[in-house]
Amino acid sequence: MTQIDNHLDYLLNQKIFLIGFMGCGKSKLGKATALKLEVPFLDLDTLIETINHQSIPQLFENLGEEGFRIKEKEALQQSAMANNAIIATGGGAPCFFDNMDWMNNNGVTIFIDTPVNVLADRLINAKVERPLVKGKSYEELLDFIATKLNERRPFYEQAQIVIKEGDLNAEMLIDALTQKR
Ligand code: S3P
């Protein structure tokens, strides 16, 4: 076994948390990578919806953002039950409570750092409803993303691996993971 194979073997027995702003591709990339590596895939937003029998927009509507963040933390901690999985987290998850520390202590964290204009292009065309950006024009989106990303960056940058790439695919993600020592 080479050093890289060894490292991949180690990663396959870990939880790998994908973090980053809405629209950075955590879910799509996570699914594709999990398929390639033959490990389970978990989407934190879907887990929150399943546990609470409500959609993310309904939870925001009924509990406010503060209430949603509590549900998010609870769901994140439930992911501890998975021995190994690729877990796509919501864009705000690392930025509340001790969630970022928790993820760093319970697996490998990887921040997908995507340029603001790429995020805005994806979010303006997205089919998924996201309460924080709903109804915003393209200009408003650019402003919102730039401000929020600045606020969130100190949390995201606590990730063990950072990938700066607008157009990332599963192979590139696996390369970034295996090159970590
Ligand atoms: C949020 C991101 C969303 C979802 C919720 C709040 C955020 O997840 O958790 O709408 O605060 O950035 P995605 O990053 O998967 O869109």
Side-chain angles (χ1 to χ4, degrees):
M1 246 195 198
T2 67
Q3 209 180 355
I4 289 189
D5 289 340
N6 244 332
H7 190 63
L8 190 58
D9 202 46
Y10 157 82
L11 284 167
L12 296 182
N13 292 301
Q14 297 281 315
K15 283 185 275 296
I16 299 171
F17 295 100
L18 302 184
I19 69 166
F21 208 81
M22 291 174 265
C24 74
K26 292 159 296 197
S27 300
K28 193 171 160 218
L29 265 170
K31 251 180 238 166
T33 309
L35 208 65
K36 273 198 177 294
L37 295 179
E38 297 181 12
V39 296
F41 170 72
L42 209 74
D43 186 277
L44 188 63
D45 282 344
T46 308
L47 186 62
I48 298 169
E49 295 182 328
T50 309
I51 295 173
N52 295 286
H53 307 288
Q54 289 181 65
S55 68
I56 302 293
Q58 282 170 335
L59 286 164
F60 265 80
E61 169 104 19
N62 296 333
L63 308 175
E65 182 173 351
E66 223 175 293
F68 168 77
R69 295 304 172 191
I70 294 169
K71 298 295 181 194
E72 184 174 56
K73 179 189 165 113
E74 287 168 2
L76 179 64
Q77 305 216 339
Q78 293 254 341
S79 74
M81 287 189 306
N83 288 328
N84 66 336
I86 298 198
I87 302 170
T89 64
C95 316
F96 291 85
F97 309 108
D98 60 347
N99 292 350
M100 193 63 214
D101 282 345
W102 190 87
M103 287 189 273
N104 272 330
N105 290 328
N106 282 274
V108 177
T109 49
I110 175 156
F111 168 33
I112 304 169
D113 191 1
T114 310
V116 172
N117 63 313
V118 176
L119 295 172
D121 288 350
R122 289 192 191 146
L123 290 176
I124 202 90
N125 295 311
K127 289 177 193 76
V128 184
E129 193 186 317
R130 292 172 166 99
L132 293 180
V133 295
K134 197 180 170 195
K136 290 200 190 313
S137 69
Y138 188 74
E139 289 308 311
E140 288 168 339
L141 252 184
L142 279 176
D143 255 20
F144 171 82
I145 297 170
T147 309
K148 215 33 163 199
L149 188 55
N150 258 346
E151 263 171 53
R152 290 181 170 183
R153 196 169 273 289
F155 295 94
Y156 292 157
E157 286 184 342
Q158 290 169 40
Q160 295 153 23
I161 306 172
V162 178
I163 310 185
K164 253 188 189 318
E165 192 67 56
D167 215 2
L168 191 62
N169 60 36
E171 285 77 16
M172 290 153 87
L173 190 75
I174 294 169
D175 281 353
L177 279 164
T178 45
Q179 274 152 30
K180 181 176 172 262
R181 293 286 176 269

